[in-house]
Amino acid sequence: MGEDQMEPALQVIVLGSGGGPLESNVTSFLVRSVAQNWHRGSVVAVDAGVHLSSICNLIEAATPSPAPSAPFTLTSGPFSGLELPHKSVLANAAHITQSLVDTYLITHPHLDHIAGFVINTAGLPGTRPKKLAGLPSTIQAFKTHIFNHVIWPNLSDENNGAGMVTFMRLVEGGSPALGDGEGRGYVEVADGLQVKIWSVSHGHCIEKHNHRGSASSASTRFGSHDASMSIPPRRDLYSHPVPPQRTASLLSQATFGPGSPQTEQERICVYDSSAYFIQDQKTHREVLIFGDVEPDSLSLSPRNLQVWSEAAPKIDSGSLRAIFIECSYDDSQCDDRLFGHLKPVYVIQELRTLASQVAEARSNRLLNTKKRKRVGSLTEEVPRRNPSLANLSPEDPVSPKTIKASSVDLVYAGPETPPTPHLATPTAELTLRELESFTSAPMRQLDGLKVVIIHVKDRLNDGPNVGDQILEQLLEHEKEAQLGCEFVISKPGQSFFF
């Protein structure tokens, strides 16, 4: 069965695609493993700026009129194939949220990514607490600033709360103790689904006082640190990528090292967001969903490269099928007003970095394959004795020199000189053309990858649609970049199968 004819393994439903200012369309997705067939607890939410209201709209649009008697099965829309137990739209939407969605993966705790979840917690009590998963810094923000009896009642199961929400602190980069093979480091969050999280940067705070920043994350691996105001933004990362560990080390030394002229109150906070690799357990097919993110070339704490390094071999193998990434503005937005977001020129810049990582992954895979074939061919070469001794019987007279030679004089099939394992034969190495294809600028390395643009900010004016402008600019940049990926502007109600 060809790649295009493969049965889908993952479904992503867009509940909210925008980045504001309309509160009715802000970031929210549902993801499920198709093999689980809408079982209880089989759906995860990724962010929830909107949630229940959007589910209501999608069910209402797909419900026949007049509504059939309950239970009935939807035959259209993103929830097609789902059996609904009630007659009314509101009751069926509540059923989806109460029974199907157990886990909420939060990329970062900005209101346009969490408002729907917070409001819905009090209205839909069930028999199981909802799991709120994210970086430790995200969980801490919920505890300190949301579930604090001021902004919202403490409905969590910590600090003597009501126990309607339980926290799930994820290990950045995956837990080394969990999973095997392609699922190594992934943690199961729903039936058939497992995830791995990486932190990314979402701009910095311009106020000169101590804020919750990247340094507050409990993760010790690849964690960023607040950068000193005296450090200019890194603009050379695209041309000369700096490994994540090295970057963090440089920032740490510059900010916290001896002799730093900046005090604790003067440090700039780098705001943590995150990206989720979401994997179907059965097929290991994946999607990558970013929260809000800025380009590494402008960031005080560039961390996107670690995500691209993780994604590259998955794209090469064909397991990573789509990337959901924000592009809040078109290219007319000046850099100093991006506020930790992307515009088309920087989306392409980041995807160029990804393409370079994919080219490197493919080169390494091809080299390793060639090496394995060469080693295998060597082990299959069985030495045979000198034919001059083959017909001698035990009674035939043989000189001592001949007997001595027979113990070591082995003839190898093929070339006269026995093959040496560390010397490469011409057929066992990459051809010059293959090498040039990897050392030159990578072309169409992302062929077959779908890039879904999310978090587009509406201008609320009479001008052209900003989503259409972003797509037009991306396609124009793609003519030069030749990445090979497909760009799609997301809209509420869309359903993607991978």
Side-chain angles (χ1 to χ4, degrees):
M1 183 179 291
E3 187 173 292
D4 293 337
Q5 287 76 43
M6 286 192 299
E7 291 293 327
L10 293 168
Q11 182 186 12
V12 180
I13 299 173
V14 182
L15 297 182
S17 63
L22 290 175
E23 70 276 10
S24 59
N25 181 28
V26 284
T27 309
S28 182
F29 306 95
L30 298 178
V31 183
R32 73 179 182 104
S33 169
V34 175
Q36 298 303 312
N37 197 28
W38 301 110
H39 287 170
R40 178 180 175 88
S42 63
V43 179
V44 300
V46 182
D47 285 338
V50 292
H51 191 65
L52 186 58
S53 61
S54 183
I55 294 174
C56 284
N57 293 338
L58 297 182
I59 292 178
E60 184 174 24
T63 300
S65 182
S69 58
F72 65 96
T73 300
L74 293 177
T75 58
S76 63
F79 294 107
S80 179
L82 172 62
E83 182 180 87
L84 297 177
H86 306 290
K87 184 174 182 179
S88 75
V89 169
L90 290 176
N92 284 324
H95 163 72
I96 291 175
T97 300
Q98 285 178 317
S99 300
L100 301 187
V101 184
D102 270 355
T103 304
Y104 292 76
L105 307 175
I106 303 300
T107 61
H108 63 293
H110 277 168
L111 279 177
D112 58 327
H113 295 256
I114 68 170
F117 167 77
V118 174
I119 294 172
N120 295 162
T121 52
L124 299 170
T127 57
R128 296 187 294 187
K130 298 298 184 185
K131 289 184 288 187
L132 190 153
L135 291 171
S137 58
T138 296
I139 303 303
Q140 187 59 43
F142 270 91
K143 290 185 61 175
T144 304
H145 303 294
I146 302 297
F147 297 129
N148 60 1
H149 294 298
V150 178
I151 300 299
W152 204 249
N154 181 13
L155 302 181
S156 77
D157 58 359
E158 298 185 12
N159 300 332
N160 298 314
M164 298 170 67
V165 176
T166 187
F167 296 129
M168 187 175 184
R169 295 166 176 84
L170 300 178
V171 177
E172 183 178 0
S175 171
L178 296 177
D180 295 301
E182 294 180 74
R184 182 175 176 83
Y186 284 73
V187 59
E188 184 176 343
V189 292
D191 289 346
L193 291 178
Q194 52 195 20
V195 303
K196 183 185 290 187
I197 190 172
W198 287 99
S199 66
V200 295
S201 296
H202 175 30
H204 61 272
C205 177
I206 61 174
E207 298 181 13
K208 293 185 179 181
H209 58 85
N210 192 22
H211 278 267
R212 188 204 69 79
S214 302
S216 68
S217 174
S219 173
T220 58
R221 296 189 296 153
F222 301 114
S224 69
H225 299 286
D226 297 344
S228 168
M229 291 187 65
S230 62
I231 302 175
R234 291 295 307 275
R235 300 178 184 272
D236 62 338
L237 186 72
Y238 174 65
S239 301
H240 306 283
V242 179
Q245 290 171 305
R246 175 63 175 160
T247 302
S249 175
L250 289 173
L251 288 169
S252 178
Q253 293 172 15
T255 307
F256 301 111
S260 174
Q262 301 296 331
T263 66
E264 182 72 24
Q265 298 297 318
E266 293 176 322
R267 292 177 187 146
I268 296 178
C269 293
V270 176
Y271 192 85
D272 281 339
S273 183
S274 56
Y276 284 95
F277 287 91
I278 305 176
Q279 184 182 91
D280 174 64
Q281 286 181 319
K282 181 179 179 181
T283 65
H284 296 293
R285 216 167 298 168
E286 298 187 55
V287 294
L288 170 59
I289 301 181
F290 277 85
D292 295 354
V293 62
E294 64 184 347
D296 271 357
S297 57
L298 297 182
S299 180
L300 294 176
S301 178
R303 289 179 278 177
N304 296 337
L305 182 59
Q306 63 192 11
V307 181
W308 301 139
S309 297
E310 174 93 13
K314 301 173 186 293
I315 293 174
D316 176 41
S317 68
S319 61
L320 179 58
R321 311 304 296 274
I323 296 175
F324 289 70
I325 190 168
E326 70 126 287
C327 187
S328 297
Y329 306 100
D330 67 16
D331 280 334
S332 66
Q333 190 82 357
C334 57
D335 288 356
D336 62 356
R337 291 197 175 184
L338 286 176
F339 305 114
H341 294 291
L342 295 174
K343 59 183 180 180
V345 65
Y346 290 124
V347 172
I348 296 296
Q349 185 185 86
E350 289 295 330
L351 292 177
R352 282 182 183 269
T353 302
L354 172 60
S356 297
Q357 294 293 310
V358 173
E360 182 179 344
R362 285 181 173 148
S363 176
N364 291 337
R365 174 177 55 81
L366 187 54
L367 284 170
N368 290 335
T369 301
K370 298 282 188 180
K371 288 178 181 178
R372 284 196 298 270
K373 287 182 178 179
R374 185 169 71 248
V375 172
S377 65
L378 292 178
T379 58
E380 291 172 2
E381 289 177 350
V382 180
R384 55 185 174 83
R385 291 192 176 276
N386 191 320
S388 63
L389 304 176
N391 298 321
L392 291 178
S393 67
E395 292 78 13
D396 291 334
V398 181
S399 70
K401 289 185 178 181
T402 304
I403 295 175
K404 183 177 181 180
S406 67
S407 63
V408 295
D409 188 14
L410 301 177
V411 179
Y412 288 80
E416 293 182 3
T417 305
T420 306
H422 64 271
L423 294 179
T425 59
T427 58
E429 289 299 323
L430 289 173
T431 65
L432 181 60
R433 179 176 299 177
E434 288 173 324
L435 283 172
E436 287 177 348
S437 69
F438 292 115
T439 56
S440 60
M443 305 293 283
R444 303 194 67 81
Q445 294 291 338
L446 307 184
D447 206 7
L449 180 72
K450 188 183 294 289
V451 177
V452 182
I453 300 301
I454 61 177
H455 205 268
V456 174
K457 291 181 177 290
D458 202 318
R459 292 198 190 97
L460 303 182
N461 60 23
D462 291 332
N465 180 277
V466 65
D468 293 340
Q469 285 187 305
I470 287 173
L471 180 59
E472 181 180 339
Q473 291 168 1
L474 286 170
L475 295 177
E476 190 63 31
H477 292 312
E478 165 65 3
K479 291 179 182 178
E480 178 186 353
Q482 290 293 298
L483 299 168
C485 54
E486 175 191 1
F487 292 101
V488 178
I489 303 295
S490 63
K491 293 179 174 59
Q494 282 177 320
S495 175
F496 298 94
F497 285 91
F498 305 103

PDB file of all heavy atoms in Angstrom, residues 67-92:
ATOM      1  N   ALA A  67     -33.629  16.786  14.510  1.00  0.00           N
ATOM      2  CA  ALA A  67     -32.687  15.900  15.180  1.00  0.00           C
ATOM      3  C   ALA A  67     -33.292  14.515  15.351  1.00  0.00           C
ATOM      4  O   ALA A  67     -34.452  14.383  15.768  1.00  0.00           O
ATOM      5  CB  ALA A  67     -32.307  16.475  16.537  1.00  0.00           C
ATOM      6  N   PRO A  68     -32.548  13.473  15.016  1.00  0.00           N
ATOM      7  CA  PRO A  68     -33.063  12.107  15.193  1.00  0.00           C
ATOM      8  C   PRO A  68     -33.160  11.750  16.667  1.00  0.00           C
ATOM      9  O   PRO A  68     -32.592  12.415  17.528  1.00  0.00           O
ATOM     10  CB  PRO A  68     -32.010  11.252  14.479  1.00  0.00           C
ATOM     11  CG  PRO A  68     -30.762  12.066  14.516  1.00  0.00           C
ATOM     12  CD  PRO A  68     -31.189  13.498  14.463  1.00  0.00           C
ATOM     13  N   SER A  69     -33.880  10.695  16.940  1.00  0.00           N
ATOM     14  CA  SER A  69     -33.991  10.246  18.327  1.00  0.00           C
ATOM     15  C   SER A  69     -32.653   9.674  18.787  1.00  0.00           C
ATOM     16  O   SER A  69     -31.906   9.082  18.008  1.00  0.00           O
ATOM     17  CB  SER A  69     -35.091   9.190  18.454  1.00  0.00           C
ATOM     18  OG  SER A  69     -34.823   8.093  17.595  1.00  0.00           O
ATOM     19  N   ALA A  70     -32.368   9.872  20.052  1.00  0.00           N
ATOM     20  CA  ALA A  70     -31.093   9.416  20.614  1.00  0.00           C
ATOM     21  C   ALA A  70     -31.158   7.922  20.948  1.00  0.00           C
ATOM     22  O   ALA A  70     -32.227   7.404  21.285  1.00  0.00           O
ATOM     23  CB  ALA A  70     -30.779  10.222  21.863  1.00  0.00           C
ATOM     24  N   PRO A  71     -30.017   7.225  20.867  1.00  0.00           N
ATOM     25  CA  PRO A  71     -28.725   7.721  20.372  1.00  0.00           C
ATOM     26  C   PRO A  71     -28.685   7.709  18.846  1.00  0.00           C
ATOM     27  O   PRO A  71     -29.414   6.958  18.205  1.00  0.00           O
ATOM     28  CB  PRO A  71     -27.734   6.722  20.962  1.00  0.00           C
ATOM     29  CG  PRO A  71     -28.502   5.444  21.037  1.00  0.00           C
ATOM     30  CD  PRO A  71     -29.921   5.833  21.364  1.00  0.00           C
ATOM     31  N   PHE A  72     -27.813   8.535  18.279  1.00  0.00           N
ATOM     32  CA  PHE A  72     -27.635   8.559  16.829  1.00  0.00           C
ATOM     33  C   PHE A  72     -26.164   8.827  16.521  1.00  0.00           C
ATOM     34  O   PHE A  72     -25.415   9.323  17.365  1.00  0.00           O
ATOM     35  CB  PHE A  72     -28.528   9.616  16.174  1.00  0.00           C
ATOM     36  CG  PHE A  72     -28.187  11.034  16.554  1.00  0.00           C
ATOM     37  CD1 PHE A  72     -27.361  11.812  15.746  1.00  0.00           C
ATOM     38  CD2 PHE A  72     -28.699  11.601  17.716  1.00  0.00           C
ATOM     39  CE1 PHE A  72     -27.056  13.117  16.093  1.00  0.00           C
ATOM     40  CE2 PHE A  72     -28.397  12.910  18.074  1.00  0.00           C
ATOM     41  CZ  PHE A  72     -27.572  13.671  17.259  1.00  0.00           C
ATOM     42  N   THR A  73     -25.757   8.479  15.316  1.00  0.00           N
ATOM     43  CA  THR A  73     -24.356   8.599  14.911  1.00  0.00           C
ATOM     44  C   THR A  73     -24.206   9.697  13.869  1.00  0.00           C
ATOM     45  O   THR A  73     -24.957   9.727  12.884  1.00  0.00           O
ATOM     46  CB  THR A  73     -23.834   7.271  14.335  1.00  0.00           C
ATOM     47  OG1 THR A  73     -23.948   6.253  15.333  1.00  0.00           O
ATOM     48  CG2 THR A  73     -22.373   7.394  13.921  1.00  0.00           C
ATOM     49  N   LEU A  74     -23.257  10.589  14.097  1.00  0.00           N
ATOM     50  CA  LEU A  74     -22.987  11.651  13.129  1.00  0.00           C
ATOM     51  C   LEU A  74     -22.362  11.060  11.871  1.00  0.00           C
ATOM     52  O   LEU A  74     -21.516  10.164  11.945  1.00  0.00           O
ATOM     53  CB  LEU A  74     -22.048  12.695  13.733  1.00  0.00           C
ATOM     54  CG  LEU A  74     -22.596  13.541  14.886  1.00  0.00           C
ATOM     55  CD1 LEU A  74     -21.516  14.476  15.418  1.00  0.00           C
ATOM     56  CD2 LEU A  74     -23.817  14.347  14.440  1.00  0.00           C
ATOM     57  N   THR A  75     -22.774  11.580  10.731  1.00  0.00           N
ATOM     58  CA  THR A  75     -22.262  11.072   9.451  1.00  0.00           C
ATOM     59  C   THR A  75     -21.468  12.116   8.688  1.00  0.00           C
ATOM     60  O   THR A  75     -21.002  11.857   7.578  1.00  0.00           O
ATOM     61  CB  THR A  75     -23.426  10.584   8.569  1.00  0.00           C
ATOM     62  OG1 THR A  75     -24.344  11.664   8.358  1.00  0.00           O
ATOM     63  CG2 THR A  75     -24.154   9.421   9.237  1.00  0.00           C
ATOM     64  N   SER A  76     -21.302  13.302   9.266  1.00  0.00           N
ATOM     65  CA  SER A  76     -20.532  14.353   8.603  1.00  0.00           C
ATOM     66  C   SER A  76     -19.825  15.189   9.659  1.00  0.00           C
ATOM     67  O   SER A  76     -20.091  15.068  10.860  1.00  0.00           O
ATOM     68  CB  SER A  76     -21.445  15.244   7.747  1.00  0.00           C
ATOM     69  OG  SER A  76     -22.394  15.915   8.566  1.00  0.00           O
ATOM     70  N   GLY A  77     -18.919  16.051   9.191  1.00  0.00           N
ATOM     71  CA  GLY A  77     -18.188  16.919  10.104  1.00  0.00           C
ATOM     72  C   GLY A  77     -17.018  16.215  10.756  1.00  0.00           C
ATOM     73  O   GLY A  77     -16.786  15.013  10.556  1.00  0.00           O
ATOM     74  N   PRO A  78     -16.255  16.929  11.572  1.00  0.00           N
ATOM     75  CA  PRO A  78     -15.055  16.349  12.196  1.00  0.00           C
ATOM     76  C   PRO A  78     -15.349  15.231  13.188  1.00  0.00           C
ATOM     77  O   PRO A  78     -14.475  14.416  13.473  1.00  0.00           O
ATOM     78  CB  PRO A  78     -14.402  17.548  12.891  1.00  0.00           C
ATOM     79  CG  PRO A  78     -15.479  18.558  13.035  1.00  0.00           C
ATOM     80  CD  PRO A  78     -16.397  18.362  11.881  1.00  0.00           C
ATOM     81  N   PHE A  79     -16.583  15.177  13.718  1.00  0.00           N
ATOM     82  CA  PHE A  79     -16.949  14.114  14.654  1.00  0.00           C
ATOM     83  C   PHE A  79     -17.700  12.980  13.960  1.00  0.00           C
ATOM     84  O   PHE A  79     -18.403  12.202  14.618  1.00  0.00           O
ATOM     85  CB  PHE A  79     -17.797  14.682  15.796  1.00  0.00           C
ATOM     86  CG  PHE A  79     -17.065  15.645  16.678  1.00  0.00           C
ATOM     87  CD1 PHE A  79     -17.338  17.006  16.612  1.00  0.00           C
ATOM     88  CD2 PHE A  79     -16.091  15.209  17.558  1.00  0.00           C
ATOM     89  CE1 PHE A  79     -16.664  17.911  17.418  1.00  0.00           C
ATOM     90  CE2 PHE A  79     -15.404  16.098  18.373  1.00  0.00           C
ATOM     91  CZ  PHE A  79     -15.685  17.458  18.300  1.00  0.00           C
ATOM     92  N   SER A  80     -17.540  12.868  12.658  1.00  0.00           N
ATOM     93  CA  SER A  80     -18.219  11.818  11.901  1.00  0.00           C
ATOM     94  C   SER A  80     -17.849  10.442  12.449  1.00  0.00           C
ATOM     95  O   SER A  80     -16.683  10.150  12.719  1.00  0.00           O
ATOM     96  CB  SER A  80     -17.823  11.906  10.421  1.00  0.00           C
ATOM     97  OG  SER A  80     -18.454  10.890   9.674  1.00  0.00           O
ATOM     98  N   GLY A  81     -18.876   9.592  12.617  1.00  0.00           N
ATOM     99  CA  GLY A  81     -18.667   8.253  13.164  1.00  0.00           C
ATOM    100  C   GLY A  81     -18.860   8.170  14.659  1.00  0.00           C
ATOM    101  O   GLY A  81     -18.853   7.074  15.230  1.00  0.00           O
ATOM    102  N   LEU A  82     -19.044   9.314  15.318  1.00  0.00           N
ATOM    103  CA  LEU A  82     -19.231   9.341  16.770  1.00  0.00           C
ATOM    104  C   LEU A  82     -20.706   9.162  17.108  1.00  0.00           C
ATOM    105  O   LEU A  82     -21.564   9.878  16.590  1.00  0.00           O
ATOM    106  CB  LEU A  82     -18.724  10.669  17.336  1.00  0.00           C
ATOM    107  CG  LEU A  82     -19.023  10.951  18.814  1.00  0.00           C
ATOM    108  CD1 LEU A  82     -18.361   9.911  19.714  1.00  0.00           C
ATOM    109  CD2 LEU A  82     -18.575  12.359  19.186  1.00  0.00           C
ATOM    110  N   GLU A  83     -20.998   8.225  17.988  1.00  0.00           N
ATOM    111  CA  GLU A  83     -22.372   8.029  18.455  1.00  0.00           C
ATOM    112  C   GLU A  83     -22.651   8.986  19.605  1.00  0.00           C
ATOM    113  O   GLU A  83     -21.899   9.033  20.582  1.00  0.00           O
ATOM    114  CB  GLU A  83     -22.589   6.591  18.917  1.00  0.00           C
ATOM    115  CG  GLU A  83     -24.027   6.325  19.361  1.00  0.00           C
ATOM    116  CD  GLU A  83     -24.246   4.897  19.823  1.00  0.00           C
ATOM    117  OE1 GLU A  83     -24.009   4.623  21.021  1.00  0.00           O
ATOM    118  OE2 GLU A  83     -24.636   4.067  18.974  1.00  0.00           O
ATOM    119  N   LEU A  84     -23.725   9.747  19.474  1.00  0.00           N
ATOM    120  CA  LEU A  84     -24.099  10.722  20.494  1.00  0.00           C
ATOM    121  C   LEU A  84     -25.295  10.196  21.288  1.00  0.00           C
ATOM    122  O   LEU A  84     -26.282   9.744  20.710  1.00  0.00           O
ATOM    123  CB  LEU A  84     -24.447  12.058  19.842  1.00  0.00           C
ATOM    124  CG  LEU A  84     -23.288  12.727  19.087  1.00  0.00           C
ATOM    125  CD1 LEU A  84     -23.754  14.010  18.413  1.00  0.00           C
ATOM    126  CD2 LEU A  84     -22.127  13.012  20.039  1.00  0.00           C
ATOM    127  N   PRO A  85     -25.225  10.274  22.615  1.00  0.00           N
ATOM    128  CA  PRO A  85     -26.266   9.650  23.451  1.00  0.00           C
ATOM    129  C   PRO A  85     -27.480  10.528  23.711  1.00  0.00           C
ATOM    130  O   PRO A  85     -28.489  10.039  24.237  1.00  0.00           O
ATOM    131  CB  PRO A  85     -25.523   9.371  24.758  1.00  0.00           C
ATOM    132  CG  PRO A  85     -24.493  10.455  24.835  1.00  0.00           C
ATOM    133  CD  PRO A  85     -24.086  10.749  23.425  1.00  0.00           C
ATOM    134  N   HIS A  86     -27.405  11.822  23.365  1.00  0.00           N
ATOM    135  CA  HIS A  86     -28.485  12.743  23.706  1.00  0.00           C
ATOM    136  C   HIS A  86     -29.077  13.374  22.448  1.00  0.00           C
ATOM    137  O   HIS A  86     -28.491  13.323  21.363  1.00  0.00           O
ATOM    138  CB  HIS A  86     -27.980  13.839  24.645  1.00  0.00           C
ATOM    139  CG  HIS A  86     -27.305  13.312  25.875  1.00  0.00           C
ATOM    140  ND1 HIS A  86     -27.984  12.673  26.884  1.00  0.00           N
ATOM    141  CD2 HIS A  86     -25.992  13.323  26.244  1.00  0.00           C
ATOM    142  CE1 HIS A  86     -27.135  12.312  27.838  1.00  0.00           C
ATOM    143  NE2 HIS A  86     -25.917  12.695  27.472  1.00  0.00           N
ATOM    144  N   LYS A  87     -30.203  14.020  22.629  1.00  0.00           N
ATOM    145  CA  LYS A  87     -30.868  14.672  21.504  1.00  0.00           C
ATOM    146  C   LYS A  87     -30.388  16.104  21.317  1.00  0.00           C
ATOM    147  O   LYS A  87     -30.221  16.569  20.191  1.00  0.00           O
ATOM    148  CB  LYS A  87     -32.388  14.659  21.716  1.00  0.00           C
ATOM    149  CG  LYS A  87     -33.165  15.223  20.536  1.00  0.00           C
ATOM    150  CD  LYS A  87     -34.664  15.053  20.725  1.00  0.00           C
ATOM    151  CE  LYS A  87     -35.421  15.588  19.511  1.00  0.00           C
ATOM    152  NZ  LYS A  87     -36.891  15.408  19.664  1.00  0.00           N
ATOM    153  N   SER A  88     -30.130  16.819  22.406  1.00  0.00           N
ATOM    154  CA  SER A  88     -29.769  18.234  22.299  1.00  0.00           C
ATOM    155  C   SER A  88     -28.278  18.415  22.022  1.00  0.00           C
ATOM    156  O   SER A  88     -27.439  17.595  22.420  1.00  0.00           O
ATOM    157  CB  SER A  88     -30.139  18.981  23.581  1.00  0.00           C
ATOM    158  OG  SER A  88     -29.230  18.678  24.621  1.00  0.00           O
ATOM    159  N   VAL A  89     -27.967  19.509  21.341  1.00  0.00           N
ATOM    160  CA  VAL A  89     -26.582  19.833  21.010  1.00  0.00           C
ATOM    161  C   VAL A  89     -25.759  20.054  22.271  1.00  0.00           C
ATOM    162  O   VAL A  89     -24.631  19.549  22.402  1.00  0.00           O
ATOM    163  CB  VAL A  89     -26.536  21.086  20.104  1.00  0.00           C
ATOM    164  CG1 VAL A  89     -25.105  21.593  19.966  1.00  0.00           C
ATOM    165  CG2 VAL A  89     -27.124  20.775  18.733  1.00  0.00           C
ATOM    166  N   LEU A  90     -26.291  20.804  23.226  1.00  0.00           N
ATOM    167  CA  LEU A  90     -25.538  21.123  24.438  1.00  0.00           C
ATOM    168  C   LEU A  90     -25.206  19.870  25.237  1.00  0.00           C
ATOM    169  O   LEU A  90     -24.082  19.712  25.738  1.00  0.00           O
ATOM    170  CB  LEU A  90     -26.332  22.101  25.305  1.00  0.00           C
ATOM    171  CG  LEU A  90     -26.466  23.529  24.757  1.00  0.00           C
ATOM    172  CD1 LEU A  90     -27.358  24.367  25.673  1.00  0.00           C
ATOM    173  CD2 LEU A  90     -25.099  24.181  24.617  1.00  0.00           C
ATOM    174  N   ALA A  91     -26.168  18.966  25.359  1.00  0.00           N
ATOM    175  CA  ALA A  91     -25.927  17.737  26.121  1.00  0.00           C
ATOM    176  C   ALA A  91     -24.880  16.869  25.439  1.00  0.00           C
ATOM    177  O   ALA A  91     -24.035  16.251  26.105  1.00  0.00           O
ATOM    178  CB  ALA A  91     -27.233  16.966  26.295  1.00  0.00           C
ATOM    179  N   ASN A  92     -24.910  16.817  24.111  1.00  0.00           N
ATOM    180  CA  ASN A  92     -23.922  16.012  23.392  1.00  0.00           C
ATOM    181  C   ASN A  92     -22.524  16.642  23.448  1.00  0.00           C
ATOM    182  O   ASN A  92     -21.521  15.925  23.527  1.00  0.00           O
ATOM    183  CB  ASN A  92     -24.360  15.829  21.938  1.00  0.00           C
ATOM    184  CG  ASN A  92     -25.475  14.803  21.804  1.00  0.00           C
ATOM    185  OD1 ASN A  92     -25.500  13.806  22.526  1.00  0.00           O
ATOM    186  ND2 ASN A  92     -26.412  15.047  20.894  1.00  0.00           N
TER     187      ASN A  92
END
